[in-house]
Every structure is written in structure tokens, then in C-alpha cells.
Amino acid sequence: MTLLTGWGRTAPTPATLARPRSADEVAALVKEIGADPARKGNGADPARKGNGADPARVGHGSRGLVARGLGRSYGDAAQNAGGTVLDCAALRPSWTLDPESGLVTASAGTSLHDLMTGLVPRGWFVPVSPGTRYVTVGGAIAADVHGKNHHVDSSFGAHVRSLTLVTADGSARVLGPSDDLFWATVGGMGLTGVIVEATFACVPIETSRMRVDVERTRDLDETLDVMTATDDRYRYTVAWIDLMARGGRTGRSVLTRGDHATREDVRGHVRGDPLAFAPRQRLSAPPRVPDGLLNRATVGAFNAVWYAKAPRERRGLIQGITPFFHPLDAVAGWNRMYGSRGLVQYQFVVPFGAEDTLRRVVGALSTRRVVSFLTVLKRFGAGTPGMLSFPMPGWTLALDIPAGVPGLAGLLRVFDEWVVAAGGRLYLAKDSRTSASVVAAGYPRLEEWRAIRDAADPDGLFRSDLARRLRL
Amino acid sequence: MRNALGSVDTVLLLGGRSEIGLAIVTRLVRDGASRVMLAARGGTVPEEELARLRKLGAEVHVADFDASRPETHQALIDTAVDRLGDLDVVIPAFGVLGSQAVYDGDPEAAARDVAVNFGGHVSAGLAAARRLREQGHGTLVVLSSVAGVRVRRANFVYGSAKAGLDGFAQGLGDALHGSGARVLVVRPGFVIGRMTEGMTPAPMSVGVDEVADAVVAALRSRARVVWVPARLGPAFAVMRLLPRAVWRRMPR
């Protein structure tokens, strides 16, 4: 048994870790665990699947399995207490690029970091990159991840042309956007099967740099106004909010918006190959960090400096991929900075027109001086047909809060109510603390998803702590 | 499943009429627990308790449970799993507190009560622990007592059963180490409540609410032992060392 947590390092549970190295080994493992006699008679009532029907037998088979990539989901999505977790990052990373079409076919264990270091020098970029490169292709599809280009390009699933899914019967099914199971798998948090391979469309680039405009706003309303008015001029946009600012400055932000730089843009800035990309990890968080390092004083000071050092307005800045897309990837294990109790990510989306909900949340956080190191606001565009896919047109806000903050549970429950009342929802890949009813209210297609999942996995073989906690 | 902030989803209370047990369950439900089973003899739990918990938003199940019939305990745990799913918190809160004077004259009654206060907890605790081990998470809350930390002549039948229970709980906790499941040993002092009505409170006595608050706080943390009030911990570190000749003279 191995004790596993998500990136937030909260609520650890033990599981048997299996390390399949190929799609065939995945299929064999799925068959083996599915055939464990401890599972027999376990699927009669779908509401009770995966509970381990026969208590006389203590076998990992009765608790099912779930795939895990690089463990960047913040909560318990890739944990399976008492069961099996497939470490898919061990799947031999491999990918091929069709230079004519820009289509990449990659094994599910390939990380976006591997892909980028290979693709960028050849003039291609991944269609969507979340805030870290250290996610696998399988995880990117299962969480239907989004990036700074969501308002233009939607989420990862929108770019997937086909995927291979090992389902509960141990067979490998090749699925495309015309299949219901495909859209139950995109955003399906690994609960429909194990993704072993995918083909998706990449984006041509001329250089490995970004041409970036940075500007500051005075308060939340100005942030919303500027983003609404001019986000569409850029492929990538995001706002960082200084939550420690209060009063009339509540919601003041630094907007960072840009596009892939052309060769013309970087002339005079970059010597040598404009497509060169060889990222290095320079820093590593210490293995043990005293609790309470990130507190009101330190985060407040950091935020004030960060805001102050951002230019009032600066256009045409040339930046590399890491500082623009993945600033935190420069520090390995940054999640350890939150101390032994870990951190909670809270990310929600509310539809356009529900800006008041956004104002209330930002106001409440700011008034109570809740410590959030990285508060990020983003305007979403169209979602995908993924039934449990998170993004929808509207505003999404992501908070990083130390799990030890007093009163946090109650405050976030209040936010849950506001978000659901506004027609919004929470991001499952980030969640570690909400309730089944909040998820059901936020994902109106949950029943439809369940029906498709139950057809593909009638005995409830694919289970995770997240699935049990939220009764998915 | 216990979530990142320590809230739980399902609770099984054995001894469904227990004042302390219900106080803990109420707090857990307020804190987000959505499915509860109250197991009591004859399956009878006061209607107002059920209504109160349901009003707080919980789905409440009731089951028949007899602490003195260990042969039924495994089946009860299975029923609970069937209704609730994974068991996040199991609280065996049943027990009887008879007077030492009565026990002195009725050895059979003494043995019967010990069978409930100790034996019943052993069978129910082991059945629950087996399930918690299998599911890889969950907490068994064992309501021990300072009466069992060092047994006093004033109530040595009750005290010795609690001493046995305390040792059982510690051993079970160690046996579960590494499984993801844990045992939380609760050692309250004299609890002023229904069970002790008519008795004179001892020093450092506590109310039911204080005990429940301490248990809920300990469930959020990684604690394995909780004294209520907390200062009883150091106090008993000293009392354990008192010579027998002195301890014997303890009035209560």
C-alpha cells in the first residue's frame, strides 16, 4: 500500500500502486482486478457500486481502480482508498507528430512538458496548456483542462480527434467526438476507463516566445471591463488579483495577455534559433517547510510588491514560455510551501451576467483577509460537449488557500451556495472539499453521464476517492 | 470520504440514544455529514432526534442494535455499509453505569454490564475495524474514560471495563496503523449528563457538549487520544504515579 494525496497534500489514503508500462499491461490489469471474486455481486445497485459487497473478503479488487497521471489534481481525483491506483506516468512516454496536419498521437502517460520540449523546436505548440506543463495527456483529457486561451480555443477536449480507452471489460476502444462515451470521458475524471492514447491537433508557432501586454487595473470592476472589452484581441489572457487589497482597491489586478510571437516580433530580442526551447528547473522548494510560512503578512507583502512592480501598462514585452504559461514550474514542489496541512484550491465558474456573485466572493475574501497566494481570474469562452467538463461561458476564479485557515470550511460552503445559485459550478480537478449536492446542482448533465458510464462500467470497477466523496 | 478540511460524509452511531453520541453526530451533520445511521436497541430512537437531524439536511437511517449480542454485530456493520456506503466515522457510544454498591451485592449484574461496556465494544469495534481497514480510511471513536486510566475503588467494576476498553482501543489503533484507518481514544472526566443524573460531579467534570466539541475537533486533526478537559491528561500522568496507599483513599 502506498499513501497518496493530490497536489494539495490533503486527506491522504493508501492504495496499491500498479505500474503498467504499456496499453496491453493496462488492459491485463483491468481484467485481473475486474475478475477478482471479491467484486462479484457488487453491481446490483448502482448507488452502492464499489463499496466492496463482500466484507468477508478483504481484497483490493473489491475497491476498484483509477488511473493517476502526474498527480496535479489538487484533491482526491487520483486516489482510491483501499483499492488500486494505476500509475500511468509509468506508461512509456511516446508521441509522433504529423508535420503536415499538426496532429500529435501520444501515449496517455506523456507529459505536456515532454511534448513541448519536442514540439516547440519543430514549430508546434500544444493546443491548450494549463498552469503547469507537468500533467499527462491522459490527465489533460480526463480533467478537460483549460488554459489562458480558453476564450478563443476552448478546453483540451475540443482538440482531441480520437482517444483509446481501456474499458471495464478490458477491451481497448477507439473513440471519437461522435461517440457519447468520448464526451463522457473528456472531463470524466478517469471514471469511464483508462485512457491509453490520444490524437489531438497542435498549433503552429514561429518562435518559442510570447509577445505580451501587461497592465494594471485599479479594482475589480475595471478588471472585468478591460477583459470584456479587449480580451478578444489576444489568444492568451489572464488576470492575477491582489486579494489582500481592500476598500476601494478591492479586486485590483495585473492583466497579462499575449500571443505567440512571430519571427518579426523577436527580431533584435532573440539570438540564434527563435524556436529554441530547453526549460530548466532552477529551484526546488525545501523538503520541509515550517507551517504558517504563507500567512497574511507574507502573502500581503508579496502581493503588494507583485502589484507595485507590474507596469501600469507595458506593451510588446517578449517573454519565454515558462514565465508566461508556467511560472510556478520554475520551483519544483512549490506545493510544499503551504506546510504540513497542505492547500485547498477553490475554482468556480459563473456565467456572464453573474458578475455580482464574483464581486461578492472577492469582497468576502478581501474583507476577511483570507490568504490566497495566487488568485486568478479568467474569461471563459465556449465549453465542450463533455458532460462533466468544467468550463462554460463566463468568469472563472481560482484561489489557493492554506488548508489550515480557520473558518475556511464554512466560508467555502457559503461560496458553494452563491455559485450554484448563480448557475455556476466547481472544477472537479481542483476540488477536495465540496458536497455531492453542489456538484449535482452545478452539472445538469450528471445523470446523462452516469447512464453512459454505467453502460460502459456496469460493475463500478473505476472508482476514486473523489467519486465516493461526491457520489459520482 | 473525509475531505481536505476534515469534514466527513457518513456516520454510524452505535447506541443511537446516547446523549454524547447524538451530540457528536449533530455537530458532524452541521459540518457537512449527509448520511447517518443511528443503531439502537429495538431500533427505537426518539422521533424528535430523527426530525432534528433530518432538518439539518441529513439522510437518517435507523437500525436495531443490541450491544449484548455480539453475534449480530458484523451483520449490523454490513447493513450500515449497505445504506451509507463507506463508513467515515463509527462511534460506539453504548454503555451502562451501575452503582458499585449494587454490583457488590449482585455479581451477575456486574458481569452483564461488563459484557456490554467491554465485550460489546470488542465485537462491535473489531467488526467496524475490519471494514475500515478494507476501505482504507475512516475513524473508530472509542469513548473510554479516566475511570479506566487508573481504576478507583469507588467504581472499580465500571472502571475495570473502561480500562479493558482503553487497552483494546490502543491495541486496535496500533493494529490499524498504516491501513489508512484510525482509532480515536476519548478520555473524558466525569461527564454531567443523563447517565450521571443524581451523582455528585467529580473535580474537572465536563458537560456533554464539551465532550462532543473535543471529539469533533480531534476528528479534524490527526489526534489519536483526546482528554476532556485537556488538562486531565497531565493530571492523570501524575495520578498514575500515586502510591496505592494514597490512591486507595481517593473518596470517589
PDB file of all heavy atoms in Angstrom, chain A residues 434-445:
ATOM      1  N   THR A 434     -15.977  19.859  -1.544  1.00  0.00           N
ATOM      2  CA  THR A 434     -17.387  20.204  -1.709  1.00  0.00           C
ATOM      3  C   THR A 434     -18.279  18.987  -1.458  1.00  0.00           C
ATOM      4  O   THR A 434     -17.805  17.938  -1.029  1.00  0.00           O
ATOM      5  CB  THR A 434     -17.671  20.848  -3.074  1.00  0.00           C
ATOM      6  OG1 THR A 434     -18.955  21.468  -3.024  1.00  0.00           O
ATOM      7  CG2 THR A 434     -17.673  19.829  -4.198  1.00  0.00           C
ATOM      8  N   SER A 435     -19.573  19.133  -1.704  1.00  0.00           N
ATOM      9  CA  SER A 435     -20.516  18.054  -1.413  1.00  0.00           C
ATOM     10  C   SER A 435     -21.182  17.564  -2.697  1.00  0.00           C
ATOM     11  O   SER A 435     -21.178  18.244  -3.718  1.00  0.00           O
ATOM     12  CB  SER A 435     -21.579  18.547  -0.442  1.00  0.00           C
ATOM     13  OG  SER A 435     -22.322  19.580  -1.059  1.00  0.00           O
ATOM     14  N   ALA A 436     -21.773  16.369  -2.590  1.00  0.00           N
ATOM     15  CA  ALA A 436     -22.433  15.756  -3.747  1.00  0.00           C
ATOM     16  C   ALA A 436     -23.531  16.661  -4.289  1.00  0.00           C
ATOM     17  O   ALA A 436     -23.710  16.779  -5.506  1.00  0.00           O
ATOM     18  CB  ALA A 436     -23.006  14.397  -3.351  1.00  0.00           C
ATOM     19  N   SER A 437     -24.271  17.332  -3.404  1.00  0.00           N
ATOM     20  CA  SER A 437     -25.405  18.121  -3.879  1.00  0.00           C
ATOM     21  C   SER A 437     -24.939  19.346  -4.676  1.00  0.00           C
ATOM     22  O   SER A 437     -25.590  19.747  -5.644  1.00  0.00           O
ATOM     23  CB  SER A 437     -26.288  18.546  -2.702  1.00  0.00           C
ATOM     24  OG  SER A 437     -25.524  19.252  -1.753  1.00  0.00           O
ATOM     25  N   VAL A 438     -23.819  19.922  -4.275  1.00  0.00           N
ATOM     26  CA  VAL A 438     -23.300  21.087  -5.004  1.00  0.00           C
ATOM     27  C   VAL A 438     -22.860  20.662  -6.413  1.00  0.00           C
ATOM     28  O   VAL A 438     -23.098  21.365  -7.392  1.00  0.00           O
ATOM     29  CB  VAL A 438     -22.125  21.730  -4.227  1.00  0.00           C
ATOM     30  CG1 VAL A 438     -21.396  22.757  -5.080  1.00  0.00           C
ATOM     31  CG2 VAL A 438     -22.650  22.374  -2.948  1.00  0.00           C
ATOM     32  N   VAL A 439     -22.251  19.490  -6.517  1.00  0.00           N
ATOM     33  CA  VAL A 439     -21.823  19.000  -7.829  1.00  0.00           C
ATOM     34  C   VAL A 439     -23.046  18.681  -8.691  1.00  0.00           C
ATOM     35  O   VAL A 439     -23.109  19.058  -9.863  1.00  0.00           O
ATOM     36  CB  VAL A 439     -20.917  17.762  -7.676  1.00  0.00           C
ATOM     37  CG1 VAL A 439     -20.648  17.122  -9.029  1.00  0.00           C
ATOM     38  CG2 VAL A 439     -19.601  18.164  -7.019  1.00  0.00           C
ATOM     39  N   ALA A 440     -24.027  18.021  -8.099  1.00  0.00           N
ATOM     40  CA  ALA A 440     -25.229  17.669  -8.866  1.00  0.00           C
ATOM     41  C   ALA A 440     -25.930  18.925  -9.374  1.00  0.00           C
ATOM     42  O   ALA A 440     -26.416  18.971 -10.506  1.00  0.00           O
ATOM     43  CB  ALA A 440     -26.174  16.837  -8.002  1.00  0.00           C
ATOM     44  N   ALA A 441     -25.962  19.964  -8.547  1.00  0.00           N
ATOM     45  CA  ALA A 441     -26.633  21.204  -8.954  1.00  0.00           C
ATOM     46  C   ALA A 441     -25.851  21.922 -10.056  1.00  0.00           C
ATOM     47  O   ALA A 441     -26.434  22.560 -10.921  1.00  0.00           O
ATOM     48  CB  ALA A 441     -26.811  22.120  -7.748  1.00  0.00           C
ATOM     49  N   GLY A 442     -24.523  21.803 -10.023  1.00  0.00           N
ATOM     50  CA  GLY A 442     -23.697  22.535 -10.978  1.00  0.00           C
ATOM     51  C   GLY A 442     -23.527  21.830 -12.316  1.00  0.00           C
ATOM     52  O   GLY A 442     -23.198  22.451 -13.317  1.00  0.00           O
ATOM     53  N   TYR A 443     -23.724  20.520 -12.308  1.00  0.00           N
ATOM     54  CA  TYR A 443     -23.524  19.737 -13.544  1.00  0.00           C
ATOM     55  C   TYR A 443     -24.855  19.108 -13.949  1.00  0.00           C
ATOM     56  O   TYR A 443     -25.135  17.966 -13.621  1.00  0.00           O
ATOM     57  CB  TYR A 443     -22.450  18.665 -13.336  1.00  0.00           C
ATOM     58  CG  TYR A 443     -21.050  19.237 -13.240  1.00  0.00           C
ATOM     59  CD1 TYR A 443     -20.526  19.658 -12.019  1.00  0.00           C
ATOM     60  CD2 TYR A 443     -20.258  19.384 -14.375  1.00  0.00           C
ATOM     61  CE1 TYR A 443     -19.251  20.197 -11.929  1.00  0.00           C
ATOM     62  CE2 TYR A 443     -18.984  19.930 -14.296  1.00  0.00           C
ATOM     63  CZ  TYR A 443     -18.486  20.331 -13.084  1.00  0.00           C
ATOM     64  OH  TYR A 443     -17.233  20.869 -12.994  1.00  0.00           O
ATOM     65  N   PRO A 444     -25.686  19.855 -14.683  1.00  0.00           N
ATOM     66  CA  PRO A 444     -27.030  19.358 -15.015  1.00  0.00           C
ATOM     67  C   PRO A 444     -27.004  18.074 -15.851  1.00  0.00           C
ATOM     68  O   PRO A 444     -28.003  17.364 -15.902  1.00  0.00           O
ATOM     69  CB  PRO A 444     -27.659  20.525 -15.780  1.00  0.00           C
ATOM     70  CG  PRO A 444     -26.536  21.430 -16.155  1.00  0.00           C
ATOM     71  CD  PRO A 444     -25.437  21.215 -15.177  1.00  0.00           C
ATOM     72  N   ARG A 445     -25.869  17.763 -16.478  1.00  0.00           N
ATOM     73  CA  ARG A 445     -25.832  16.557 -17.314  1.00  0.00           C
ATOM     74  C   ARG A 445     -25.243  15.370 -16.566  1.00  0.00           C
ATOM     75  O   ARG A 445     -24.875  14.364 -17.171  1.00  0.00           O
ATOM     76  CB  ARG A 445     -25.050  16.846 -18.591  1.00  0.00           C
ATOM     77  CG  ARG A 445     -25.744  17.923 -19.439  1.00  0.00           C
ATOM     78  CD  ARG A 445     -24.941  18.250 -20.674  1.00  0.00           C
ATOM     79  NE  ARG A 445     -24.928  17.149 -21.621  1.00  0.00           N
ATOM     80  CZ  ARG A 445     -24.093  17.070 -22.654  1.00  0.00           C
ATOM     81  NH1 ARG A 445     -23.211  18.030 -22.847  1.00  0.00           N
ATOM     82  NH2 ARG A 445     -24.133  16.036 -23.475  1.00  0.00           N
TER      83      ARG A 445
END
